[in-house]
C-alpha cells in the first residue's frame, strides 16, 4: 500500500514537472492557477479519501483475521465496494462528492450545473481505471492539464465537471453586544 501511495505521488509529480518543462520549452506562460488547482484541491481531496479508505480497510482486515476464509471474502467484497461504489454513491448525495472533495470545497455536477445522475456517476467512476494508466493517474493528470476545462476522461464521457464551491462566510453572532438605547424615540407615542 505504501508503494502504491508513492507511485501515485511520484506519478503526479512527474506529470507536473513535465507540464512545467513543456511550457518552458515552448516559451509559453505556465498557467499556475491550473497547476495550483491540481496540486492543492484534487490531490488533497484524493489523499483524504484514500486515508479514509485505508483506515476502514485496515480496521476491517484486523477484524476479519479471526474469521479465516470467510473473513477474507468479506474483506475483498469491502475492497470492491470502497473502490467502485464509495465515490459513486457519495457523488449522488447533496454534497456532490466524497468527504475529501467536500473538505476541499469541490463538488461533482453535470455540465449543465445540475446534480450528477446515477448513470453519469457510474460512467465517470468506471473510467477511473483508464485514467490511472499508465502510472499513478498519469492520463487523468495530463488530460486535466491539457484541456482548458480541466476535465479527465471520465468527466468527458459522463458530461460531468468538478467545480469549486466557495464556502459561505460564517454569520456574525451578536449575542455579546449590549443593546443601545436610541437617542430619539422610535415612535411618536413616547
Amino acid at each position: 500500500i505504501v508503494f502504491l501511495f508513492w507511485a501515485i505521488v511520484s506519478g503526479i509529480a512527474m506529470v507536473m514537472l513535465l507540464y512545467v518543462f513543456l511550457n518552458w520549452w515552448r516559451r509559453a506562460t505556465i498557467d499556475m492557477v491550473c497547476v495550483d488547482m491540481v496540486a492543492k484541491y484534487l490531490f488533497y481531496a484524493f489523499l483524504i479519501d484514500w486515508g479514509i479508505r485505508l483506515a476502514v480497510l485496515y480496521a476491517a482486515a484486523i477484524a476479519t483475521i479471526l474469521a479465516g476464509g470467510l473473513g477474507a471474502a468479506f474483506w475483498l467484497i469491502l475492497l470492491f465496494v470502497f473502490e467502485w461504489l464509495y465515490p459513486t454513491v457519495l457523488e449522488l448525495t447533496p454534497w456532490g462528492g466524497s468527504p475529501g472533495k467536500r473538505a476541499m470545497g469541490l463538488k461533482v455536477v453535470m455540465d449543465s450545473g445540475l446534480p450528477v445522475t446515477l448513470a453519469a456517476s457510474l460512467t465517470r467512476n468506471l473510467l477511473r481505471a483508464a485514467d490511472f494508466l499508465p502510472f499513478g493517474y498519469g492520463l487523468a493528470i495530463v488530460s486535466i492539464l491539457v484541456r482548458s476545462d480541466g476535465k479527465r476522461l471520465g468527466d468527458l464521457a459522463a458530461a460531468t465537471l468538478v467545480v469549486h464551491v466557495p464556502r459561505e462566510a460564517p454569520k456574525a453572532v451578536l449575542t455579546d453586544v449590549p443593546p443601545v438605547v436610541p437617542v430619539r424615540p422610535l415612535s411618536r407615542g413616547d
Side-chain angles (χ1 to χ4, degrees):
I1 291 180
V2 172
F3 172 75
L4 178 63
F5 172 75
W6 286 114
I8 291 169
V9 169
S10 63
I12 291 171
M14 241 173 27
V15 170
M16 298 292 268
L17 287 174
L18 179 66
Y19 174 75
V20 171
F21 173 75
L22 288 176
N23 278 322
W24 171 81
W25 185 62
R26 293 185 316 182
R27 305 286 189 251
T29 58
I30 298 172
D31 186 1
M32 291 309 289
V33 173
C34 182
V35 172
D36 182 54
M37 184 266 312
V38 171
K40 184 178 177 187
Y41 295 110
L42 295 177
F43 180 68
Y44 290 143
F46 172 78
L47 282 183
I48 292 168
D49 290 333
W50 196 69
I52 291 170
R53 290 180 195 174
L54 188 63
V56 170
L57 290 172
Y58 186 71
I62 292 172
T64 58
I65 282 176
L66 301 175
L70 186 60
F74 171 76
W75 189 82
L76 288 172
I77 291 170
L78 190 63
L79 177 66
F80 174 81
V81 166
F82 265 90
E83 186 60 34
W84 296 106
L85 298 180
Y86 170 84
T88 303
V89 170
L90 290 175
E91 286 173 3
L92 297 173
T93 63
W95 302 329
S98 61
K101 284 189 180 83
R102 185 173 182 208
M104 297 310 299
L106 301 175
K107 185 175 185 175
V108 180
V109 295
M110 300 297 292
D111 280 343
S112 61
L114 295 172
V116 70
T117 63
L118 176 62
S121 184
L122 281 171
T123 303
R124 172 176 201 283
N125 286 297
L126 285 175
L127 282 173
R128 278 188 306 122
D131 284 332
F132 189 76
L133 299 173
F135 182 70
Y137 286 101
L139 194 56
I141 295 168
V142 168
S143 175
I144 288 170
L145 292 174
V146 169
R147 294 189 49 86
S148 62
D149 56 2
K151 288 185 173 189
R152 62 179 184 85
L153 295 178
D155 290 323
L156 289 170
T160 57
L161 191 60
V162 178
V163 296
H164 185 261
V165 180
R167 298 181 193 266
E168 293 181 15
K171 296 183 177 162
V173 180
L174 300 177
T175 57
D176 298 335
V177 179
V180 178
V181 179
V183 177
R184 292 182 171 179
L186 299 177
S187 65
R188 296 186 189 261
D190 289 339

